Amino acid sequence: MAVGEKVYWDNRMAFVLAAIGSAIGLGNIWRFPYMCYKYGGGSFLVAYLVALLVAGLPLLILEFSLGQKIGGSAPASLGKVSKNFAWVGWMAIIVGFFITTYYSVIMSWAANYFVHSFTLAWGNDPKTFFYTNVLGLSDGILKIGSPRLPLLIGLAIVWLWIVLSIWKGARTVSKVVYVTVTLPWLILIVLVIGGLTLPGAFDGIKYYLTPDWKALLNAELWQAAFTQIFFSLSVGFGVMIAYASFLKPNSDIVNNAFIVGLSNCATAFVGGFAVFSAIGYYAQLQGVSVADVMNSGPELAFVTYPAIINHLPFAPLMGILFFVMLLTLAIDSAFSLVEAVVAGIMDTFGIGRTKTNIFVAVLAFAIGVIYTTTAGLYWLDLVDHYMTFFGLFAVAFLEAVAVGWFFDTEKLRKKINSTSQMHIGKWWVISVKFIVPLSALILLIITVIGRINASYGGYPRVSELFGGWIPILIAVLGGIVLGKFTIKMIRKDNVIVDTQDAPPSI
Ligand code: PHE
C-alpha cells in the first residue's frame, strides 16, 4: 500500500463494530460496576444515564462529524476547524497514548490470570495471590523495584497482538472486530445466566438497581458519572475522530452514534448483572452484606472474581471464560487508542503505516515497563487518575469550545443531518456550545482544586509530579509543537476551512 493511500472500512457494519469495540472495554465490566458499587448502585445508574444523554451522545456525534465531515485524524480535523486548535487534537492523542501504556498492562494481568485459571492458581487466598505473587507489590510508590517477568512477557504478547490487529489499519480492524466484539458478548451472556442462578444473586442485583436518591446530591457521584461516560464512549482521545475519518463520504453519523452509545451502555448495564449477582453470591457465602465485599477497584476483576470463581461449578472453565472475555473486551479498545496515534502521525508526517505502528508500539511498551515493576500498581493508579480526570476533561472542553464557538455549528448540524437517517435538532448545538464545555470545565476545576488541596490517593507530591503533572505537560507542550506541523500540512494541502464556512463538501 502506498504511503497516504486512503483506506476505508469494509462496510458500515465494520465501522459500527469497531467503534463499539473501542467503547466497550475494561471500562464496562470493571470500572462501571465498581463505580456503581462505590456510589450506591442505582443512583449511579441514574447519573450515568443523564451524563450519556446530555454530554456523551452529543460529543460522540461531534467526534464522528469531525472525523468524517471535516476530515482526518484528531489534529487534522480540529486544525481545519480552526488552526488554533490543531494542538488539542494532539493533546487528545497524547493523553490516549498514555492511557494505552497502562491499559495494555492491565491486559497483561488478565493474560496472566488466563493462564492461572487452568489450575486456579490463586487458591484460597486470591488477595495475597494478586498483591504478592502476581504484582509483588512494594510498600510505597517510590520503591520501584524490578519488573516482574511474567507481567513483562504478558505485556510483550499483548503489544504483538495489538500491532497485528491494526497492521493495515481499517482494513485489518474491519475483520478483527467481528471476533473481538461478538465473543465477549457471548461469554457475558453465559456469565449473566450463570450468575443469576447462584444463591444470593438477588441481593447483589437489588444493591445494583436500587437508587438511593439522596446520593444524587453528592457532587462526586456526578463527577464519577461524567468521567465514566466520557471514558466509556472513548470520546476525548481522538479515537472516534480517527475511526470516523475512515468512513466513506455520505456515511450516516447520528444513527451510528446512537447505536454505538446505546450498545456501549447496554453492555455495561448487562455486565452489571453478571458482576453483582456474583457479588451477592459471594456476600452470602461469607456471611457479610453486599456493601462489604470489596474495597478497591482492581480487586473486582483480580481478587473478588477469582474468589467467586473458586465456588462456581466448572471453576477453571469459568475462570478461563472470564479472562478471555476481559481480554477480548480490552483488545479492541487498546488498538483503537493506538490507531488514533498512528492516524495522527501518518496524517501529519506522511510516514508509512508499518513504521508508525512499530514505533508507537515500541515506545508504549517501553513506558509500560514501569507498571510491571513492584510499584506498578501505584503508578498505574496515579497516571490513570491524571489522564482520565485532567486530560480527558480538558480535551472535551477544548474540543467542544473549538467547534461550538469557532465554527458554524448550525451548518455542521445541517451537514450531519443531510447524510443521517435520524436528524438532530437544535439541542445538539446547545449541548456542544454549553452543556459539554460547561460540565467538562466544572469537572476540571473540581479536580484541580482537589489536587491543589491534597495529592491524589495520598501519594507523595514528587510521584505526582512524574506520574501526573509531567505527562500532562507533555500532552500540552507536545500538542502545541506537533500542532504546528499539522497546520503546515493542512496549509500545504490547501484544505484549511474558513471558520465561518461549512466544512468542505465531500
Ligand atoms: N472505552 C474504553 C473502555 O471502556 C476505554 C477507552 C478509552 C478506549 C479511550 C479508547 C479510548 O474500557
Side-chain angles (χ1 to χ4, degrees):
M1 186 180 65
V3 173
E5 186 195 322
K6 181 93 185 149
V7 172
Y8 292 106
W9 297 109
D10 284 358
N11 47 48
R12 176 175 178 182
M13 180 79 166
F15 165 71
V16 170
L17 282 180
I20 290 180
S22 170
I24 302 178
L26 298 172
N28 299 61
I29 299 298
W30 175 22
R31 208 167 181 282
F32 171 80
Y34 177 64
M35 288 290 142
C36 271
Y37 184 80
K38 186 166 167 193
Y39 292 102
S43 4
F44 183 79
L45 267 181
V46 174
Y48 178 77
L49 280 179
V50 172
L52 170 73
L53 295 177
V54 304
L57 282 172
L59 201 54
L60 194 59
I61 295 172
L62 174 71
E63 291 213 345
F64 281 178
S65 65
L66 271 173
Q68 198 243 333
K69 297 278 176 249
I70 299 178
S73 61
S77 56
L78 278 164
K80 288 178 200 171
V81 164
S82 157
K83 61 182 186 337
N84 296 329
F85 284 96
W87 70 278
V88 176
W90 276 111
M91 182 178 169
I93 285 182
I94 298 172
V95 168
F97 173 77
F98 279 121
I99 293 187
T100 337
T101 62
Y102 66 78
Y103 205 82
S104 50
V105 175
I106 302 174
M107 290 179 67
S108 164
W109 298 349
N112 273 271
Y113 268 77
F114 165 74
V115 176
H116 294 317
S117 295
F118 286 86
T119 55
L120 300 178
W122 48 79
N124 290 328
D125 188 2
K127 198 162 182 161
T128 309
F129 184 79
F130 179 57
Y131 289 114
T132 310
N133 302 38
V134 177
L135 302 181
L137 196 62
S138 67
D139 52 14
I141 190 164
L142 298 174
K143 300 215 172 108
I144 292 183
S146 51
R148 311 279 291 173
L149 192 60
L151 298 183
L152 208 57
I153 296 173
L155 189 62
I157 296 173
V158 165
W159 272 106
L160 196 68
W161 190 16
I162 293 176
V163 169
L164 290 179
S165 306
I166 55 165
W167 193 246
K168 287 193 171 155
R171 207 176 289 163
T172 323
V173 174
S174 288
K175 318 264 176 330
V176 174
V177 286
Y178 281 95
V179 180
T180 57
V181 175
T182 46
L183 185 65
W185 248 98
L186 291 178
I187 300 179
L188 189 61
I189 292 171
V190 173
L191 292 177
V192 170
I193 296 174
L196 288 176
T197 56
L198 293 170
F202 185 69
D203 295 333
I205 302 297
K206 211 162 89 191
Y207 185 87
Y208 178 37
L209 297 181
T210 318
D212 164 13
W213 297 112
K214 273 203 302 289
L216 286 175
L217 297 174
N218 175 2
E220 205 186 302
L221 172 133
W222 287 94
Q223 191 185 8
F226 273 82
T227 317
Q228 178 60 22
I229 277 294
F230 288 168
F231 183 80
S232 191
L233 291 180
S234 305
V235 287
F237 302 97
V239 169
M240 293 306 189
I241 303 181
Y243 269 11
S245 75
F246 310 136
L247 274 171
K248 295 224 168 90
N250 297 327
S251 300
D252 183 284
I253 300 279
V254 183
N255 224 15
N256 283 349
F258 272 82
I259 294 174
V260 173
L262 296 179
S263 36
N264 173 62
C265 295
T267 309
F269 185 64
V270 173
F273 283 87
V275 172
F276 279 90
S277 57
I279 291 179
Y281 167 63
Y282 190 61
Q284 198 186 63
L285 273 181
Q286 304 282 307
V288 294
S289 77
V290 173
D292 295 326
V293 172
M294 263 191 316
N295 51 30
S296 91
E299 286 195 6
L300 174 60
F302 299 103
V303 176
T304 315
Y305 232 90
I308 293 166
I309 287 168
N310 280 343
H311 301 280
L312 298 178
F314 316 110
L317 180 66
M318 286 306 196
I320 291 167
L321 285 182
F322 181 72
F323 290 107
V324 167
M325 177 185 76
L326 276 192
L327 282 168
T328 46
L329 276 176
I331 183 72
D332 33 24
S333 301
F335 67 61
S336 72
L337 281 162
V338 179
E339 187 54 41
V341 186
V342 169
I345 297 178
M346 288 174 62
D347 250 17
T348 297
F349 298 103
I351 306 175
R353 171 168 285 279
T354 313
K355 268 195 203 139
T356 316
N357 279 342
I358 294 173
F359 167 72
V360 174
V362 169
L363 189 63
F365 174 80
I367 297 177
V369 172
I370 182 87
Y371 314 109
T372 66
T373 65
T374 55
L377 178 65
Y378 303 127
W379 287 100
L380 194 155
D381 185 32
L382 190 62
V383 178
D384 174 58
H385 174 78
Y386 273 80
M387 291 305 128
T388 45
F389 280 74
F390 280 86
L392 179 53
F393 293 150
V395 170
F397 168 72
L398 291 164
E399 208 175 86
V401 167
V403 178
W405 296 91
F406 293 86
F407 200 70
D408 190 335
T409 340
E410 190 48 34
K411 272 194 186 156
L412 183 58
R413 182 177 76 91
K414 295 210 173 97
K415 196 97 192 156
I416 294 171
N417 283 343
S418 71
T419 61
S420 297
Q421 253 173 320
M422 231 159 90
H423 287 184
I424 39 172
K426 295 243 188 296
W427 58 266
W428 181 76
V429 176
I430 294 173
S431 178
V432 170
K433 272 191 160 157
F434 302 104
I435 300 177
V436 175
L438 262 180
S439 51
L441 188 64
I442 292 172
L443 294 169
L444 193 62
I445 292 173
I446 296 179
T447 314
V448 172
I449 294 176
R451 286 302 64 81
I452 291 173
N453 288 338
S455 68
Y456 168 70
Y459 293 120
R461 288 283 189 191
V462 54
S463 54
E464 216 175 17
L465 183 69
F466 285 99
W469 296 115
I470 291 183
I472 293 284
L473 205 67
I474 293 177
V476 174
L477 295 182
I480 293 174
V481 173
L482 292 167
K484 298 224 181 311
F485 288 98
T486 302
I487 297 301
K488 237 188 246 156
M489 175 278 299
I490 295 175
R491 285 232 177 82
K492 203 169 78 212
D493 291 355
N494 211 9
V495 283
I496 204 113
V497 185
D498 189 293
T499 50
Q500 287 313 309
D501 205 357
S505 61
I506 31 111

